[in-house]
Amino acid sequence: MKNLMLKIGTFFFKYRNQAFPLIIVALFALFAPTTAIFGSSAAEQWKDVVAILVVLSGLLLRATVIGYAYIQRGGRNKRVYAANLVTEGMFGVCRNPLYVGNMLIYAGLFLFHGNPVVVILGCLLFGFIYQCIILAEEEFLSAKFGDAYSAYCRDVPRWALKLSAFSASTEGMVFNLKRVVAKDYSTMSSTLIALLATEFYRVAADSITEQEVSYAILLAVLFVGVVALTGLVSSLKKRGIFDELTAAH
């Protein structure tokens, strides 16, 4: 079973940027989002609030990780690779804090969609895929860093957040907000776009009523605004605004 999971992890490590959006779009297209929970619009609204809070917690966790100690998770040539064993910052709290943040974002998006099949299947599928990716990374790190990595694994949990270690692991470090924007603006953008698109899908699933026209227009305007802001940040990055940050970690 482990060998199979390693192969799955290696595959998705290489193709996750293409595969993950396709999986989400397929799930959301196959199953319509909910408009009421057990006939209650109020319960649906509270569910959406909880979902958005889960998404925000994932984005906040990712921002905290990147703001203190960023590592390139893309590997080398789309293969698992690490030049150094990073254990400071949030990596002293959890071995995979970026992946935990990602899972919170995905779980929140699935919950926001609301269809039970999407929530259950989406969370289980992405949880399994990330576990496979982590196993593939651990295989590489264990072989490269040996006893140092084994000691790190004994002290820092794989998925859980050892918050008691946060103060010590970030001691002397300065949170870099500009690096968060430079490195994670695309994740923030795609998350907001997914939320807005899902909400528009929910409103327009049958037909947009007269009462919903203004709301649908607002969603469209926000969607365009997010796309435009993303383009602006991308343009600034290409012009070298964030060049001094690339050497930070």
Side-chain angles (χ1 to χ4, degrees), residues 19-31 110 113 126 201:
F20 285 6
L22 288 176
I23 293 172
I24 293 174
V25 169
L27 284 173
F28 282 26
L30 288 173
F31 304 96
F110 296 142
H113 182 281
F126 275 78
Y201 180 21

Side-chain angles (χ1 to χ4, degrees), residues 61-173:
L61 177 56
R62 283 185 57 89
T64 304
V65 176
I66 296 169
Y68 280 112
Y70 177 75
I71 64 171
Q72 180 61 46
R73 277 293 194 177
R76 175 181 287 181
N77 299 322
K78 295 187 177 182
R79 294 180 179 274
V80 177
Y81 178 81
N84 303 294
L85 181 61
V86 180
T87 61
E88 70 267 22
M90 284 299 292
F91 294 95
V93 175
C94 173
R95 301 204 311 262
N96 301 283
L98 287 173
Y99 292 164
V100 175
N102 290 350
M103 277 302 304
L104 287 171
I105 293 171
Y106 290 133
L109 290 177
F110 296 142
L111 182 60
F112 188 77
H113 182 281
N115 188 294
V117 177
V118 171
V119 176
I120 296 172
L121 182 59
C123 288
L124 289 176
L125 180 59
F126 275 78
F128 175 73
I129 291 173
Y130 269 118
Q131 181 63 29
C132 291
I133 290 175
I134 287 171
L135 286 179
E137 291 184 340
E138 289 178 346
E139 189 88 351
F140 172 88
L141 294 172
S142 179
K144 181 164 185 176
F145 299 109
D147 292 341
Y149 183 67
S150 297
Y152 173 58
C153 289
R154 287 193 297 269
D155 190 51
V156 181
R158 175 188 284 158
W159 282 104
L161 300 178
K162 188 180 177 182
L163 296 178
S164 60
F166 178 78
S167 179
S169 63
T170 57
E171 185 177 1
M173 303 182 74

Side-chain angles (χ1 to χ4, degrees), residues 24-52:
I24 293 174
V25 169
L27 284 173
F28 282 26
L30 288 173
F31 304 96
T34 56
T35 56
I37 297 178
F38 301 118
S40 172
S41 297
E44 177 72 21
Q45 291 174 356
W46 277 109
K47 182 268 294 177
D48 287 346
V49 169
V50 172
I52 291 173

Side-chain angles (χ1 to χ4, degrees), residues 52-67:
I52 291 173
L53 289 176
V54 173
V55 168
L56 290 177
S57 70
L59 290 173
L60 179 60
L61 177 56
R62 283 185 57 89
T64 304
V65 176
I66 296 169

